[in-house]
Amino acid sequence: MADRAPFLPENDYRDTWCGGVLDDLVGKTVRVAGWVNRRRDHGGLVFIDLRDRTGVVQLVFDPAESSEYFDLGHALRPEWVLSAEGEVVRRDPETVNPEIGTGEFEVRVSGARILSEAETPPFEIEGFRAEVGEEARLRHRYLDLRRPVMQEAIEIRHRLVTEMRSFLDGEGFLEIETPVLTRSTPEGARDFLVPSRLHQGSFFALPQSPQLFKQMLMVAGFERYFQIARCFRDEDLRADRQPDFTQLDIEMSFVGVEDVIGLNERLMAHVLSGMGVEVEIPFPRISHDEAIARFGTDRPDMRFGHEVVDLTEVLRGTEFKAFGGVIEGGGAVVGINFGPKDLPRAQLDGLIEEAKELGAKGLVWAYCEDDGWRAPIAKFLSADEQAGLNEALGASEGDLMLVAADSQAVAAGILGGLRTRLAERWDLIPESGNCLVWVVDWPMFERDERTDRWIALHHPFTSPASEVDPDDPGSARALAYDLVWNGVELGGGSIRISEPDLQKEVFAIIGIDEEEAADRFGFLLEALRYGAPPHGGIAYGVDRFAALLAGFDSIRDVIAFPKTASGNDPLTGAPSPVEEPQLKELGLARGGAARAKPSDG
RNA sequence: GGGGGUGUAGCUCAGUUGGUUAGAGCGCUGGCCUGUCACGCCAGAGGCCGCGGGUUCGAGUCCCGUCACUCCCGCCA
């Protein structure tokens, strides 16, 4: 990091970064400031590792150098804040520390002052002995963030958005802010609501995304817009989901799918190159249907094989009821060949349990052997069927196959889920190589099983690829695209509907009549009537992007102040109860059980 | 909303079949130490075993409930 250290103007506290105590300063007197990283007190000689954002440098308190500051050196404790000055010297070769960037040098202290003392921290800042629990880290996030690994993660995130901004600025995009207090447009995720004091009984909603605003910016003629936008969704959390998160939001006018994809490939190449990752463009593309069929997911990890294979035709007419019945009912039998993988029976049974967790009714495991299958169901399958399955799955002796039967999408989804989990567990993913892929040709609509209605798969402003047959909405394809990186959905977008009549048709299919459309989205529909250019765009999950680049599984590690998995902030105690007068002012009354937050767990 | 895992010292963890006074490493405090860098050596402090209830002569350990953290499913247009 030292080579990236910004210019440092001299002042009373310091004139040199800790990480900058290098060759060119030998023989010079420098002043450094930072936190006491570690203290090694030899009685007659004290070593202090001083840490700032750029690195660590060793300070030597030697009575021969400065008896008046020696006691100060002895009194120092970890995380005290110190300013010290002294001559930079080259260390004797046998005392060089190759572990730190400044390890060939040290500062012989001739003056120092304590700027701030520190209580003993609840956990070690340089805790490379053991991982500290996440709750303790979040409770004292300001200490957690002092750890060099966290400083680096936050810096990676900064560089990511900086590269995004610089590329888009160079392409003529304008960064435009949109409101955080906006209108609730139900459907989709739950909104966070904010009561209005001036209009009691009415509420603002926090935006789930700036979607409608960016479309209106296109109508307004800005043509190229982007924003690093905060978005809010009141849904349950995950390692990769927070209630407030950040998107890179982009929208362009007078464009089709190829224009958006082309620009975004150049954006990716620029951003990743700036982060030290080289990728080739154009990226491969896969249709949504093919992704489901081959990988059982709409965000396929294509760094490795072991794809889902459809075995339905091989097994049509089989005697084995569990498969035959599903096929007769219009379902499918699918399998994956995981290659040679010898597992004890208990682990094979464990896979069945795991498949059930993913929603499977069952799972069949089978080994390909010289004289046929070794599998619990082997005796139900004829020799011909076994041979046919081996051929379809490309199995050779010793290969482990997993087979599931259900509707095509469900069966593929279960095996796709297992594929992702097992690839990690069994180390099937090649170390090198990134796979960025566009998933295209999405269906416009999908059937909502619970309400038995058609719903927009992407969002209702997505343009269909061609005319929609109202009698068969399921066949309509959308001008939509997702960018998937190593099995992670990095971003997605679409060409939008720019004709009010087409927008009405789409609303009609998903059961939003004109009155309701006018009520909810009237402002957008009206805007579209005043000369809307063809337009489209995309939005990226900045938190996920940063986590991937920094090598973390959880986006909490690239968010300075994240929420826990249950949506709390242990640092500030948010969310918290509020006082009655505050509610009264807003025209709100408590409903249900208003209870004080338990102070202890 | 559902399922799994975890909860013991400041941190990371061990704790046998229910049995006497609950342990380790790190950290912390004091002392010694002039070339260490995860410094070393000596001594010491530190516990509502998440919380509440139950079973038992006896509970860190078994049962019920509850809370917190975490992972997954649902959910996330």
Side-chain angles (χ1 to χ4, degrees):
Chain A
M1 259 195 260
D3 57 324
R4 298 185 53 87
F7 173 72
L8 184 62
E10 176 183 346
N11 65 17
D12 285 348
Y13 298 119
R14 62 180 177 184
D15 55 31
T16 304
W17 293 100
C18 290
V21 177
L22 298 168
D23 233 337
D24 55 322
L25 294 176
V26 171
K28 297 200 168 73
T29 295
V30 299
R31 192 178 300 130
V32 289
W35 288 261
V36 172
N37 199 49
R38 212 176 285 281
R39 178 183 64 122
R40 291 177 296 278
D41 187 345
H42 288 230
L45 191 65
V46 179
F47 299 98
I48 296 292
D49 291 338
L50 196 69
R51 181 190 71 242
D52 68 15
R53 203 183 93 188
T54 63
V56 167
V57 66
Q58 175 165 276
L59 310 179
V60 185
F61 288 80
D62 186 339
E65 194 80 30
S66 62
S67 50
E68 62 176 307
Y69 291 104
F70 184 73
D71 287 345
L72 183 149
H74 178 73
L76 289 171
R77 290 293 181 274
E79 300 310 314
W80 286 24
V81 183
L82 182 73
S83 170
E85 64 181 15
E87 187 190 350
V88 177
V89 300
R90 189 178 293 279
R91 299 198 200 178
D92 293 335
E94 64 271 21
T95 63
V96 164
N97 179 4
E99 298 296 315
I100 59 174
T102 61
E104 291 179 52
F105 312 97
E106 62 194 16
V107 176
R108 301 194 61 82
V109 174
S110 54
R113 69 186 159 119
I114 292 163
L115 302 176
S116 183
E117 298 186 3
E119 288 182 19
T120 301
F123 49 84
E124 291 170 75
I125 303 306
E126 274 231 291
F128 37 79
R129 289 183 176 87
E131 281 295 311
V132 177
E134 217 171 338
E135 195 177 6
R137 290 173 53 201
L138 293 181
R139 173 84 181 79
H140 302 276
R141 188 60 158 177
Y142 42 85
L143 296 179
D144 187 41
L145 289 170
R146 268 186 205 166
R147 298 158 57 219
V149 62
M150 292 304 289
Q151 298 237 322
E152 198 178 324
I154 297 297
E155 185 175 339
I156 284 172
R157 185 186 177 120
H158 160 76
R159 275 164 48 207
L160 172 66
V161 296
T162 301
E163 295 291 348
M164 288 170 165
R165 282 200 165 99
S166 87
F167 175 84
L168 290 166
D169 176 57
E171 295 279 333
F173 284 78
L174 304 183
E175 183 168 9
I176 305 174
E177 290 167 87
T178 54
V180 167
L181 293 176
T182 179
R183 186 200 161 96
S184 176
T185 53
E187 195 152 16
R190 265 186 290 271
D191 283 323
F192 279 102
L193 295 178
V194 180
S196 165
R197 178 182 58 84
L198 297 173
H199 304 277
Q200 300 211 342
S202 289
F203 294 80
F204 294 103
L206 307 182
Q208 296 177 25
S209 81
Q211 181 62 35
L212 303 178
F213 287 105
K214 70 175 174 178
Q215 290 192 241
M216 289 189 289
L217 287 171
M218 294 302 102
V219 175
F222 286 105
E223 305 210 17
R224 299 189 151 209
Y225 142 93
F226 81 99
Q227 183 180 191
I228 309 292
R230 268 313 183 70
C231 305
F232 307 86
R233 294 179 188 175
D234 189 7
E235 297 292 345
D236 288 359
L237 289 76
R238 286 282 195 288
D240 62 352
R241 295 196 327 223
Q242 285 271 303
D244 54 337
F245 63 102
T246 305
Q247 284 187 347
L248 168 62
D249 195 43
I250 298 175
E251 196 77 3
M252 310 160 69
S253 290
F254 303 108
V255 293
V257 171
E258 293 307 323
D259 301 298
V260 178
I261 284 184
L263 176 106
N264 278 280
E265 287 179 340
R266 287 187 292 117
L267 166 70
M268 280 295 133
H270 173 94
V271 165
L272 290 171
S273 175
M275 309 295 293
V277 178
E278 299 301 329
V279 291
E280 270 185 39
I281 59 174
F283 303 145
R285 300 182 195 183
I286 185 171
S287 75
H288 173 267
D289 290 354
E290 191 181 346
I292 298 288
R294 287 172 57 195
F295 302 98
T297 173
D298 56 18
R299 42 185 178 88
D301 188 341
M302 294 170 65
R303 286 174 298 172
F304 62 100
H306 306 294
E307 296 184 12
V308 178
V309 177
D310 193 319
L311 306 170
T312 310
E313 288 316 311
V314 181
L315 290 168
R316 193 172 292 282
T318 182
E319 298 285 308
F320 182 44
K321 289 278 181 294
F323 288 171
V326 167
I327 292 171
E328 277 168 36
V333 180
V334 298
I336 288 182
N337 178 0
F338 279 95
K341 186 76 194 177
D342 200 14
L343 292 180
R345 184 64 185 255
Q347 279 187 40
L348 293 166
D349 289 342
L351 292 178
I352 296 173
E353 287 310 305
E354 219 162 328
K356 286 181 179 168
E357 283 169 23
L358 293 169
K361 295 182 187 74
L363 180 78
V364 168
W365 58 263
Y367 278 101
C368 176
E369 291 190 342
D370 202 16
D371 51 349
W373 271 22
R374 175 165 66 85
I377 64 153
K379 62 183 173 215
F380 302 118
L381 295 174
S382 71
D384 275 359
E385 284 168 343
Q386 293 184 16
L389 291 168
N390 284 343
E391 193 189 338
L393 286 161
S396 51
E397 200 177 333
D399 285 357
L400 170 62
M401 295 167 279
L402 299 181
V403 180
D406 209 306
S407 73
Q408 203 277 332
V410 170
I414 287 153
L415 285 191
L418 282 176
R419 175 180 178 269
T420 313
R421 292 185 181 198
L422 297 179
E424 192 112 336
R425 197 174 307 162
W426 295 344
D427 214 16
L428 302 175
I429 304 168
E431 280 292 316
S432 61
N434 287 293
C435 185
L436 279 152
V437 56
W438 291 105
V439 179
V440 295
D441 295 334
W442 291 70
M444 271 295 280
F445 307 102
E446 67 179 345
R447 198 75 186 163
D448 183 350
E449 301 295 338
R450 290 170 311 168
T451 58
D452 203 34
R453 291 188 315 145
W454 290 102
I455 56 174
L457 189 61
H458 192 64
H459 59 57
F461 314 108
T462 300
S463 179
S466 56
E467 222 162 285
V468 178
D469 176 0
D471 296 325
D472 183 18
S475 69
R477 298 294 106 169
L479 294 177
Y481 31 80
D482 269 18
L483 185 60
V484 174
W485 186 9
N486 298 346
V488 177
E489 184 198 329
L490 206 55
S494 64
I495 301 299
R496 326 299 181 187
I497 294 170
S498 48
E499 303 149 42
D501 288 346
L502 180 57
Q503 185 67 72
K504 276 181 203 162
E505 278 178 47
V506 169
F507 278 146
I509 288 166
I510 60 177
I512 299 180
D513 62 27
E514 252 176 82
E515 194 185 341
E516 190 180 357
D519 184 44
R520 285 201 205 167
F521 311 112
F523 56 97
L524 177 70
L525 300 178
E526 189 180 343
L528 293 178
R529 292 204 297 266
Y530 286 101
H535 61 286
I538 195 167
Y540 293 98
V542 170
D543 310 282
R544 285 182 193 178
F545 204 155
L548 280 167
L549 287 169
F552 288 105
D553 291 329
S554 167
I555 64 172
R556 290 189 295 270
D557 286 321
V558 293
I559 297 172
F561 298 103
K563 313 282 184 292
T564 67
S566 46
N568 304 313
D569 177 6
L571 174 61
T572 63
S576 63
V578 295
E579 297 299 323
E580 204 63 48
Q582 219 175 337
L583 288 176
K584 205 173 168 190
E585 197 172 31
L586 294 165
L588 297 179
R590 272 186 226 279
R595 60 201 172 92
K597 236 181 120 116
S599 61
D600 192 343

